[in-house]
Amino acid sequence: EKLNFRLYANLRQMIRHDSHKFNRLIDDTKSVVIEFCHFGKERIKAFNVSPDAFVQLALQLSQYRLFGEFKSTYEVTVTRRFLHGRTETLRSVSDQAVDFVKKMTAKNATAESKAAALKTAAETHVTRMKACMAGMGIERHMFGLQSIYDRFGAGLGINQMPAIFNDRGW
């Protein structure tokens, strides 16, 4: 059955405004699938580098080249070991990833130093991934704490948002 809504002028204006805003967001978002056939995971593995870590580091390098800065990015991690499974979030930017990107963009860095930085950053990524998969990540835990504050903070006697959640790092 068709529902008829009575929309007042100010509500119609808000809907139009938000609709235009949403359409601009769509116009600014573009996805393109590019087929890469030069090599695959087997070649990456031959260099003792995790294919996942390789791709995550390639994304960091690409973003740095595109934006000139490091962007907060994350990779979803599945915690299958636990009943019903869950997800955790692994932040891909690490000190080692930053070092790798800086080496890759430095004019005077040697191929050996770039390869070493790649290996170190990839190993760090894998270690952090394993920790997240084992339930040792902090992202979802922190999100849970923030959600508890949002929902129950006043009732718990917490009258202002804990500082960590206003921190740029968070």
Side-chain angles (χ1 to χ4, degrees), residues 94-105:
S94 65
D95 290 340
Q96 294 78 7
V98 169
D99 184 54
F100 162 72
V101 169
K102 297 246 171 141
K103 287 258 185 342
M104 291 300 292
T105 55

Side-chain angles (χ1 to χ4, degrees), residues 13 31 67 72-73 77 87 104 111 138 141 159:
Q13 183 178 356
S31 295
F67 300 111
S72 180
T73 56
T77 307
T87 60
M104 291 300 292
I138 63 162
H141 176 72
N159 298 318

Side-chain angles (χ1 to χ4, degrees), residues 52-53 56 60 72-78 87-94 124-133 137-140:
D52 172 65
Q56 292 298 321
Q60 293 303 316
S72 180
T73 56
Y74 69 89
E75 177 180 6
V76 175
T77 307
V78 179
T87 60
E88 178 56 77
T89 301
L90 168 64
R91 293 289 169 171
S92 302
V93 179
S94 65
T124 299
H125 185 85
V126 169
T127 299
R128 294 172 71 206
M129 175 65 77
K130 286 179 180 175
C132 286
M133 291 171 76
I138 63 162
E139 185 86 16
R140 296 292 189 223

Side-chain angles (χ1 to χ4, degrees), residues 21-82:
K21 198 167 147 183
F22 182 72
N23 286 329
R24 280 196 310 272
L25 178 62
I26 289 171
D27 291 341
D28 287 346
T29 305
K30 183 177 181 181
S31 295
V32 178
V33 176
I34 300 171
E35 189 173 343
F36 182 83
C37 301
H38 302 290
F39 60 89
K41 69 179 182 180
E42 295 308 320
R43 185 152 179 214
I44 297 167
K45 286 180 179 180
F47 293 106
N48 294 318
V49 174
S50 155
D52 172 65
F54 182 88
V55 170
Q56 292 298 321
L57 291 166
L59 290 171
Q60 293 303 316
L61 178 58
S62 299
Q63 287 190 64
Y64 186 80
R65 285 180 172 164
L66 185 62
F67 300 111
E69 64 183 0
F70 293 93
K71 299 287 187 174
S72 180
T73 56
Y74 69 89
E75 177 180 6
V76 175
T77 307
V78 179
T79 55
R80 295 186 265 255
R81 297 179 189 174
F82 300 95

